[in-house]
Amino acid sequence: MVRRTRLDGDTCPVARALDVIGDWWSLLIVRAALDGDRRFSEFHRTLGVAKNILAARLRTLVDAGILKIVPAPSGGAHHEYVLTRRGEALRTVIAALREWGEENAPAISGPRM
């Protein structure tokens, strides 16, 4: 396994940001959360990511203060993932990536809904 280089002490703010949210699954999870996904099963269905990868990325995003775990409104043992203020602040990043992708990386089968 390749060891990940930590960038949290770097002087560059871009490097520090990438240390927190720099892998594609994390950004796609944040995008899905911004689009309304809150439960593990919703993220899994939306993204099609392996459950072990999803669980690891959700844990990382919670640890980083991007998401928080709250009890599901229906009660029971279920819980949901909601964006924190820090997570909501990524809305502009996701919007900029979406705009860049639409202009510079067009979809073969049409735009994502």
Side-chain angles (χ1 to χ4, degrees):
M1 176 181 254
V2 176
R3 179 169 276 221
R4 185 175 176 271
T5 301
R6 299 283 312 169
L7 300 171
D8 55 346
D10 201 289
T11 58
C12 174
V14 173
R16 291 191 312 270
L18 288 172
D19 195 59
V20 177
I21 53 145
D23 70 86
W24 66 71
W25 286 123
S26 293
L27 287 171
L28 291 173
I29 290 167
V30 170
R31 182 208 59 202
L34 288 166
D35 288 345
D37 288 359
R38 295 174 63 107
R39 298 193 66 173
F40 186 94
S41 60
E42 292 172 335
F43 290 114
H44 185 253
R45 183 181 58 251
T46 299
L47 301 172
V49 59
K51 290 181 180 182
N52 63 324
I53 302 278
L54 178 57
R57 293 308 185 281
L58 286 169
R59 195 173 320 112
T60 298
L61 290 168
V62 168
D63 291 346
I66 304 296
L67 294 170
K68 66 181 176 182
I69 299 173
V70 299
S74 60
H78 296 288
H79 61 268
E80 295 183 342
Y81 297 90
V82 296
L83 290 162
T84 63
R85 180 192 59 77
R86 194 174 185 197
E88 279 289 338
L90 289 167
R91 185 177 298 277
T92 56
V93 174
I94 300 297
L97 282 170
R98 183 171 288 169
E99 182 178 324
W100 185 91
E102 288 171 352
E103 294 175 12
N104 297 286
I108 295 170
S109 61
R112 180 184 181 277
M113 294 301 191

